[in-house]
Structure formats: C-alpha cells, structure tokens
Amino acid sequence: MSTSGFSLFLALLHLMGFLFPLRVYAIRFGWICRKDIGFLEQRSCRTTVQGRYLISDDEGNVCDALSLESRTRCCPWKGERFSCHGCNLLSQCCKSYEFCVSCCLNPSRTILAQVVKVKVAKPATAGTYKTVFDFCSGRCRHNSESVVHENAYHSEFHHCFSLTSNASGANLTQVETRLLGIDVIVGSQGDSCDAVCKSRGQLCVMNKLSLLNQCDVMKRYMTCKGSCLASAGGDQPAEVVEDAPRDLYSGACLYTRTESMLSCDGSHQHTRRLCPCA
C-alpha cells in the first residue's frame, strides 16, 4: 500500500472513530427520550362521567371537561390535588360531585383496606368496592340518605363519602351533621313515626332511621336507663316505657340489627319511638 493510500486509510479510521461515539450518544439520547415519552404515556386515568362541566380523575385532580388530556384521559397537573372545595369536612359531604370524589381520594381520609370491605349495595349478595376510586365515585353520587320526601335534598351538601358510622366517640358529630334539617322527635307511647311526624305537620324521613338506630344516638334523646339492647321489632329505634311488663326490659332502649326492618309505620303498645321528621 502506498504512503498516500495508508494515510488516507488512517484518516478514514480517525474519522470513523470520531463519529462512532457521537452515533452512540445519539442513539442513547434517542432512547432516553423514548423512555421518557414511554413513561409519560403510561399515565392513564379513570375519570368521573356524571358532571356536565367538571371531571375528577383517579389521581385526585379536578378540571373542566375541555382541558382533559385526550391521550391520557387525565386532568392537567396543575391546581390543588385532593381538593375539598365546597366540602364540609366534618360531615364529609360536598356541594359538588367532582370535588367530593377528589376530596375522598386523599389517602389521609380514605384508606383502601377499609373501603374494600364496604358493600356496593345493601343486599347480602352485593359485591364490595375494588379500589378507592370505585368507592369515592360511587359513594359521592346522590343516594337515598341525601333525599327527603324522595324528591328534595335535605342539604346543599348532598354528595357524601363517609363510611357508615357506628356513632361512637367523635363519629356522633358526623351523625348529627347528617341529620341537619331533620327534627328528631321522641314519640308518644304506642305511636308510629308516621303518626308522630304527622301530628307536627311533617313526614317521617325513612332513610334517616338508620342514623337514629344506634345506642349512642338514642342516649342523646332518651334516658335508656343505662341499657341499650338489640331487638327485632318494626318499632325500633325505640325506648320501652317504664310501666311495661318486666320481661320487656322496661326503660331500656332498643335497636335492630336488621336495617331492612326499619320502617316509619311500625309501632308497639309499650314503646316510644325515636323519629326523624321533616
């Protein structure tokens, strides 16, 4: 090989050696970009569908429908996450469905281990919620507890996400908040709640009986003589009158463990009912 040919060969090797790192660098740079893009593409959200103008995604963001990202179906990463705008944190009820879902999704308020035990509906055959988003989006919808007389809301805060309470300790305050707009009346002996409320020009709100069907709540309105017993009558929640036969536990309060038995028209000649009227 001639000297000039060898020099040209060395020049080519040098040139290739100079370009090779750049080519590798370019390949690596492109891979990083694709990796980053791949990561962003992995962001995919479930969203609420109830609202006309607002949407809440399963990351706890709220946005208007027009700003929803078409590729990810997520709200933009801006504004407050887990916003409780228009919510009463004491009762865990909100004016807006979307902000109810957003507020509910906050891990400090709703714990997955608790909500997966909650049934989607009352029947024993009903399944449970699978995720916190399933719980929040389902729980925040209007439900029978939000309604009085079947066609009106008892409060503007009618989107609620609280778990069913046993009304012990601090939860008593939540129960009473959920009774806002309801008159809790101790009836006369032998009267049904229908009769008790009618005598006041009101109606019995059946979907609030479950809130009164708890010992701690009954003890706020009745003496209960220190005892509160499970029973199975259609007149619960109620207090047994003191002149009742001894085997009926005179003076005791009675609640039912079978909520399907709760009714406004139940009565017993030896009890006084605790009634929700509106």
Side-chain angles (χ1 to χ4, degrees), residues 134-199:
D134 290 334
F135 170 82
C136 294
S137 58
R139 195 76 170 179
C140 285
R141 290 193 180 94
H142 303 312
N143 55 64
S144 59
E145 190 178 297
S146 304
V147 180
V148 293
H149 309 157
E150 298 184 356
N151 60 2
Y153 298 116
H154 71 82
S155 168
E156 62 181 339
F157 296 91
H158 49 259
H159 298 282
C160 304
F161 60 88
S162 59
L163 291 165
T164 302
S165 163
N166 289 323
S168 59
N171 287 331
L172 267 174
T173 305
Q174 291 186 15
V175 172
E176 296 208 338
T177 302
R178 293 164 69 184
L179 287 170
L180 289 173
I182 301 296
D183 294 328
V184 180
I185 307 299
V186 178
S188 299
Q189 180 176 342
D191 281 351
S192 68
C193 280
D194 278 337
V196 172
C197 296
K198 185 178 180 180
S199 68

Side-chain angles (χ1 to χ4, degrees), residues 12-162:
L12 286 172
L13 287 177
H14 178 72
L15 183 62
M16 290 176 65
F18 178 76
L19 289 177
F20 183 72
L22 286 181
R23 191 172 300 166
V24 172
Y25 176 79
I27 291 171
R28 289 178 179 174
F29 179 74
W31 180 81
I32 291 170
C33 288
R34 286 196 294 272
K35 183 180 179 182
D36 288 347
I37 293 172
F39 175 76
L40 291 174
E41 286 179 342
Q42 289 177 9
R43 185 185 181 220
S44 178
C45 297
R46 298 174 61 194
T47 61
T48 57
V49 294
Q50 181 165 327
R52 181 180 298 179
Y53 304 110
L54 295 178
I55 286 177
S56 177
D57 65 26
D58 59 2
E59 295 180 346
N61 303 297
V62 177
C63 62
D64 63 84
L66 294 177
S67 65
L68 192 71
E69 295 179 357
S70 60
R71 180 167 50 84
T72 63
R73 304 299 297 169
C74 298
C75 287
W77 274 327
K78 62 181 181 179
E80 182 183 358
R81 193 180 178 196
F82 306 128
S83 174
C84 296
H85 176 71
C87 297
N88 182 327
L89 296 182
L90 185 63
S91 64
Q92 294 184 318
C93 294
C94 308
K95 297 179 181 179
S96 162
Y97 171 69
E98 290 75 25
F99 282 106
C100 176
V101 174
S102 174
C103 189
C104 171
L105 285 170
N106 191 326
S108 67
R109 296 190 181 88
T110 307
I111 301 172
L112 178 62
Q114 294 177 345
V115 303
V116 295
K117 300 176 183 178
V118 178
K119 287 187 174 295
V120 177
K122 286 187 177 180
T125 56
T128 57
Y129 292 103
K130 302 299 182 184
T131 67
V132 174
F133 181 75
D134 290 334
F135 170 82
C136 294
S137 58
R139 195 76 170 179
C140 285
R141 290 193 180 94
H142 303 312
N143 55 64
S144 59
E145 190 178 297
S146 304
V147 180
V148 293
H149 309 157
E150 298 184 356
N151 60 2
Y153 298 116
H154 71 82
S155 168
E156 62 181 339
F157 296 91
H158 49 259
H159 298 282
C160 304
F161 60 88
S162 59

Side-chain angles (χ1 to χ4, degrees), residues 239-260:
E239 182 180 50
V240 182
V241 295
E242 291 193 20
D243 60 357
R246 182 173 298 180
D247 62 340
L248 295 181
Y249 302 99
S250 60
C253 285
L254 305 176
Y255 69 95
T256 180
R257 289 176 177 165
T258 309
E259 289 197 2
S260 60

